[in-house]
Amino acid sequence: MSTLKSEAERCLKCKVPGCSKGCPVSTPIPQVLTLFLEGKLKQAGELLFNNNPLSAVTSIVCPHDKNCKGHCILNRKGEPVSFYRVEEYISSFFIETYQPPQIRKISKKIGVVGAGPAGITISIILALKGYSITLFDAMDGIGGALRYGIPEFRLSKGILEVYKKILDTIEVKFRPNTRIGTNISAEDMFLDGYDAIAICTGTSQPNRFGLLGETLGHVHFAIDYLKSPDAYKLGRKVVIIGAGNVAIDAARTAIRKEHSEVTILNYKAPEDMRAYKSEVEMAIIDGVKFLHQYQAVRIADKFVRCVRVNKSVAEDGAVNFTEDFQSSLEVSADSVIIAIGQGPGADVNSVGNTKVTQRGLLEVDEFGSTSQKGVFAAGDIVTGPKTVIEAVALAKKAAVKIEEYCQNL
């Protein structure tokens, strides 16, 4: 593997960098690499942090092949630049040695509900601009999906403790174990002097499949399992229904925690999987087995019954999948984990008088403004489950709109 220096030197410093255009937050990659090669590590870290406060995280968990790496011009005829490797080093060094700038306080108070990627991003951006920030979360630690959804082997939770220190340093108040919309309402917060509220509560409610057998004692939801895998006894054979990134994380965790034999049931063909290609490759290396083009139709005490799924391509290019109920099989299972996505919690619209979409997500404009004056939203609660970098991108837009709103009060 090349050194970080030699990797940075491979960058062509394009006048119109495709890597930056392919990044949801338009990371100024050539400028960062130039500063790095000039030995200006602090300046490079500052540039990354100011553009994306969670660069130390996204450099690890981003789908690089889809974003920066996938848009590198060198990708056309050779090996693209692995910028994320350099970014991780610079960003980790920067947050571990973080010294806040001089902050001029503003007499405006903002409540940020949800301490996941979007909430942390908004809190840091606006706190550095002098706003008084209180960050609420229903759990006892910051991170949201970063802490309770991504396994330790993919993202060390130690990095979240570093971010907590940064939040403390810039005087963001953190109120844990507090669910807004039940004991505390948006109206209460406005009465207590908050000028604006940002809702960043994510999507922590697992989707049900509706299968016969889904309530049995050996059936679990992936998003719940990933929150506290040590609380579960899965047994030797585990079947996972679903083939997205959460399913892959659950499968790799089960192998590590219990040395289980894990089989993922993928409704679609291998090339149509929603999970990142790199994560699928790692799952295969870990020993995860895949049963492609099979749909679960019933869960029993010791097995999952599946039917074959046929793939066809129409003349207009549309891909269709149809179940063949004449072709079935039973897959042995001591435990079954359902990983078919997640949605907002039941209290999503009790935070304020906000409109929701048909999917139950908060309805916002392109800048994160909701239908209620002074209430904004960002992250998965707006888009549904997306990547961390996409949550950061929307949070940046919302932060700009919140500041604009507060300045006009």
Side-chain angles (χ1 to χ4, degrees), residues 160-175:
L160 297 176
E161 302 312 314
V162 177
Y163 272 102
K164 180 60 172 62
K165 289 180 182 177
I166 290 175
L167 291 170
D168 291 341
T169 300
I170 59 178
E171 299 183 17
V172 171
K173 298 181 180 70
F174 178 54
R175 185 161 171 172

Side-chain angles (χ1 to χ4, degrees), residues 75-95:
N75 201 26
R76 298 178 183 177
K77 294 185 178 180
E79 181 63 25
V81 175
S82 295
F83 167 70
Y84 65 91
R85 290 178 51 211
V86 184
E87 181 186 21
E88 181 184 353
Y89 181 83
I90 296 171
S91 299
S92 296
F93 180 85
F94 183 79
I95 65 170

Side-chain angles (χ1 to χ4, degrees), residues 49 53-54 57 94-101 103 105 110 112-137 140-144 146-147 157-176:
F49 186 82
L54 287 183
V57 171
F94 183 79
I95 65 170
E96 288 168 6
T97 59
Y98 183 75
Q99 293 293 323
I103 301 174
K105 290 295 183 180
I110 297 167
V112 180
V113 184
I120 294 173
T121 299
I122 289 176
S123 295
I124 290 175
I125 290 174
L126 294 179
L128 288 173
K129 290 180 178 291
Y131 292 88
S132 176
I133 308 294
T134 299
L135 179 59
F136 300 82
D137 199 85
D140 60 1
I142 69 163
L146 301 178
R147 181 181 295 275
K157 301 306 178 282
I159 198 169
L160 297 176
E161 302 312 314
V162 177
Y163 272 102
K164 180 60 172 62
K165 289 180 182 177
I166 290 175
L167 291 170
D168 291 341
T169 300
I170 59 178
E171 299 183 17
V172 171
K173 298 181 180 70
F174 178 54
R175 185 161 171 172

Side-chain angles (χ1 to χ4, degrees), residues 119-366:
I120 294 173
T121 299
I122 289 176
S123 295
I124 290 175
I125 290 174
L126 294 179
L128 288 173
K129 290 180 178 291
Y131 292 88
S132 176
I133 308 294
T134 299
L135 179 59
F136 300 82
D137 199 85
M139 307 298 282
D140 60 1
I142 69 163
L146 301 178
R147 181 181 295 275
Y148 302 104
I150 300 179
E152 179 75 21
F153 61 83
R154 281 190 59 209
L155 181 71
S156 170
K157 301 306 178 282
I159 198 169
L160 297 176
E161 302 312 314
V162 177
Y163 272 102
K164 180 60 172 62
K165 289 180 182 177
I166 290 175
L167 291 170
D168 291 341
T169 300
I170 59 178
E171 299 183 17
V172 171
K173 298 181 180 70
F174 178 54
R175 185 161 171 172
N177 301 313
T178 305
R179 188 178 294 276
I180 306 299
T182 51
N183 295 332
I184 297 175
S185 70
E187 289 70 24
D188 294 331
M189 295 174 69
F190 284 126
L191 286 172
D192 282 341
Y194 288 89
D195 296 285
I197 299 171
I199 305 173
C200 309
T201 49
T203 49
S204 58
Q205 190 75 16
N207 291 338
R208 288 192 65 236
F209 210 150
L211 290 179
L212 184 66
E214 197 166 354
T215 67
L216 296 176
H218 67 305
V219 181
H220 314 288
F221 292 108
I223 193 168
D224 295 330
Y225 170 66
L226 288 170
K227 289 176 184 176
S228 53
D230 291 331
Y232 294 76
K233 295 298 179 185
L234 300 180
R236 190 169 66 88
K237 294 188 175 183
V238 177
V239 171
I240 296 180
I241 301 173
N245 291 308
V246 173
I248 298 292
D249 283 343
R252 298 180 68 194
T253 299
I255 283 179
R256 282 166 170 76
K257 291 290 183 181
E258 301 199 36
H259 310 291
S260 301
E261 295 177 14
V262 181
T263 300
I264 286 181
L265 298 181
N266 175 28
Y267 175 82
K268 297 182 178 180
E271 63 271 17
D272 300 309
M273 288 182 66
R274 292 183 291 110
Y276 305 151
K277 182 180 178 182
S278 58
E279 291 301 318
V280 173
E281 290 175 350
M282 291 307 300
I284 293 172
I285 290 172
D286 285 354
V288 177
K289 298 176 183 177
F290 289 83
L291 192 57
H292 298 291
Q293 290 183 238
Y294 272 92
Q295 171 75 302
V297 293
R298 183 194 170 190
I299 301 173
D301 287 324
K302 290 296 181 181
F303 64 85
V304 177
R305 179 167 293 141
C306 314
V307 296
R308 177 72 181 171
V309 177
N310 297 320
K311 177 181 178 180
S312 61
V313 182
E315 290 183 4
D316 62 358
V319 178
N320 299 304
F321 295 92
T322 54
E323 295 92 347
D324 178 6
F325 289 94
Q326 302 303 313
S327 177
S328 65
L329 60 81
E330 294 178 353
V331 183
S332 297
D334 296 313
S335 288
V336 179
I337 295 178
I338 297 174
I340 57 168
Q342 58 264 8
D347 60 347
V348 60
N349 58 351
S350 63
V351 178
N353 298 316
T354 52
K355 292 182 180 179
V356 296
T357 67
Q358 288 185 337
R359 296 172 61 194
L361 303 168
L362 286 179
E363 186 176 291
V364 300
D365 64 14
E366 61 179 312

Side-chain angles (χ1 to χ4, degrees), residues 33 202 254:
L33 292 178

